[in-house]
Amino acid sequence: MPGSRPRSATQPASRSAGRLALRRPAAFGAWPTGERLARIRRSPQFVDGQFRNPVPTRQLVEGSALSVARMQLSREGRLRRAPVGRIPVHRPTAADWGEPPASGLRLTWMGHSSVLAEIDGHRVLFDPVWGERCSPFTWAGPRRLHPVPLPLGALGPVDAVVISHDHYDHLDMPTIKALIRTGTRFVVPLGIGADLELWGVPAARITELDWRESTAVGELTLTATPAQHFCGRGLRGPQHTLWASWVVAGPVNRVFHSGDTGYFPGFAEIGAEHGPFDATMIQIGAYSEFWPDIHMTPEEGVRAHLDLQGGRPDGLMLPIHWGTFNLAPHPWAEPAERSMYATRAAHVPCAIPVPGRPFEPADEAVVEPWWRTVALPPVYGWPAWPAVASAVGAFEAAG
């Protein structure tokens, strides 16, 4: 297998260590080797033996591990971190997808960070995760809170699958294996091609990009742009796969997908070079005061959207990375509520559809708070959404 070997905690230093690595689950992925590794080492992002963010980034605030464990064990916290009813899911039909979008752009949020973008006659699938768990194992790890809107076999042809980074809630081995049969191209950050090859994706259908590099898919230009995050599958080892946000630009429309990221000044730079965008797909869930550098809060997500739009409340924001898996201590519905507060305060159009319901960002965004019907309400009830800058404070007071 060119350019990869099964991944373990560290590079095998002996024959016995190599045999141990071969026995590890295939879902752990592969180490980049050969020319792939050489290209990684030439990247400006690869410093002192691993990929790094432009500024020092904490994966966890020092000394917070015990507090995180206490929160995870809190019974009241566990109740609020999951829905109390069945999450509504829309199954797309020919009535939804039978005709091209009138505006040239249609988005379908499948849950978490998985989004199908129909853009200028092409179909791009971001971070597809159809698995029951975001885990290398079928018997452990965060379980899906709602079913996928439709089987992969009913999705139809896809021109490109775009991956933001290699964490299990964004790169799912069974999903990738199922997509191989579609003949699609895979466009990924540096290093992730080793995982895909291990799982059977032909090398000719893999394009690996460093930040600020682009590739063409039909009439689309796909560009890997910076993000502030980290990587890792299996046991912890050096950061040998890159993480990225993505710009997809067509002849008429252009979109941005944040992947996972903390808030950082790079959003304004991305907007200045590639924006403005007809729609942004922004991570606003799985945040915590214990890892503030690697995931955005909803308010930071809205700030990122504005940065990408040159400070103007243009384009539509689709909040992603929430609702499907329980990955953080915040209440299950809080990301949606806080996103609505923050977008209305900033006069930013926002859509939060049920998983699987297609919509065109060019249409007027109609928001029905469907999540309130399946979530425990705040102690003092659901507050009204004001259109003032103090919205977040009002929500926190209601909680």
Side-chain angles (χ1 to χ4, degrees):
M1 184 172 300
S4 65
R5 73 174 72 172
R7 186 184 303 179
S8 64
T10 58
Q11 291 277 16
S14 67
R15 184 173 298 176
S16 61
R19 286 196 297 268
L20 177 63
L22 290 171
R23 290 195 297 268
R24 294 181 182 276
F28 280 11
W31 282 102
T33 60
E35 175 53 34
R36 176 174 283 122
L37 181 58
R39 185 182 175 201
I40 285 171
R41 288 172 172 163
R42 293 193 296 267
S43 169
Q45 282 60 252
F46 198 75
V47 180
D48 296 331
Q50 59 184 324
F51 283 114
R52 297 181 185 273
N53 291 301
V55 298
T57 304
R58 301 164 295 176
Q59 295 180 23
L60 190 67
V61 172
E62 186 176 357
S64 63
L66 183 58
S67 297
V68 171
R70 285 173 177 164
M71 281 198 307
Q72 294 291 348
L73 293 173
S74 164
R75 182 178 181 276
E76 181 180 355
R78 287 200 306 272
L79 290 174
R80 292 190 175 276
R81 288 198 300 271
V84 295
R86 185 180 179 86
I87 296 174
V89 172
H90 177 83
R91 181 184 174 91
T93 65
D96 297 306
W97 286 343
E99 297 294 331
S103 64
L105 176 62
R106 183 164 56 210
L107 302 178
T108 307
W109 179 56
M110 301 294 181
H112 202 57
S113 294
S114 303
V115 182
L116 175 67
E118 298 170 89
I119 175 170
D120 295 346
H122 301 76
R123 304 178 96 220
V124 178
L125 184 59
F126 293 95
D127 284 357
V129 175
W130 258 247
E132 184 64 21
R133 295 182 185 271
C134 53
S135 166
F137 309 110
T138 59
W139 47 268
R143 184 188 290 273
R144 176 177 289 276
L145 299 174
H146 65 80
V148 291
L150 77 171
L152 275 174
L155 186 64
V158 175
D159 297 291
V161 171
V162 176
I163 304 296
S164 64
H165 64 296
D166 72 355
H167 287 159
Y168 293 104
D169 57 322
H170 296 260
L171 179 62
D172 180 56
M173 183 182 72
T175 303
I176 296 298
K177 286 187 169 185
L179 287 166
I180 295 173
R181 297 191 294 269
T182 69
T184 186
R185 283 182 58 185
F186 294 83
V187 184
V188 301
L190 288 180
I192 291 180
D195 297 336
L196 302 188
E197 285 189 26
L198 178 68
W199 301 336
V201 180
R205 284 163 50 191
I206 301 171
T207 301
E208 293 178 80
L209 299 179
D210 201 348
W211 290 353
R212 303 177 182 88
E213 292 182 341
S214 300
T215 190
V217 175
E219 293 184 289
L220 302 180
T221 299
L222 281 61
T223 304
T225 45
Q228 185 170 285
H229 201 56
F230 67 106
C231 73
R233 296 176 80 86
L235 301 177
R236 185 174 301 281
Q239 305 281 291
H240 274 185
T241 65
L242 187 59
W243 46 95
S245 58
W246 288 91
V247 170
V248 176
V252 178
N253 293 280
R254 61 183 57 215
V255 298
F256 174 84
H257 188 284
S258 71
D260 278 3
T261 180
Y263 178 81
F264 72 120
F267 291 116
E269 298 170 8
I270 294 168
E273 183 171 357
H274 300 284
F277 299 95
D278 298 280
T280 66
M281 296 158 268
I282 302 289
Q283 172 262 304
I284 51 82
Y287 48 83
S288 172
E289 61 186 300
F290 299 116
W291 48 83
D293 297 348
I294 58 170
H295 279 174
M296 291 189 290
T297 65
E299 296 75 37
E300 289 172 325
V302 175
R303 185 179 174 190
H305 173 91
L306 290 169
D307 287 353
L308 290 161
Q309 306 290 51
R312 298 176 298 275
D314 297 334
L316 178 137
M317 175 176 154
L318 171 63
I320 60 173
H321 202 265
W322 79 281
T324 304
F325 299 105
N326 185 344
L327 302 175
H330 59 66
W332 173 77
E334 186 179 281
E337 282 290 324
R338 286 176 61 172
S339 292
M340 289 311 306
Y341 270 97
T343 53
R344 291 199 171 199
H347 306 291
V348 170
C350 177
I352 307 183
V354 300
R357 180 171 293 163
F359 71 96
E360 295 191 38
D363 295 340
E364 182 178 357
V366 178
V367 178
E368 298 177 1
W370 55 267
W371 55 88
R372 291 185 176 184
T373 66
V374 292
L376 281 176
V379 175
Y380 298 106
W382 298 108
W385 294 331
V388 295
S390 60
V392 174
F395 174 78
E396 292 175 343

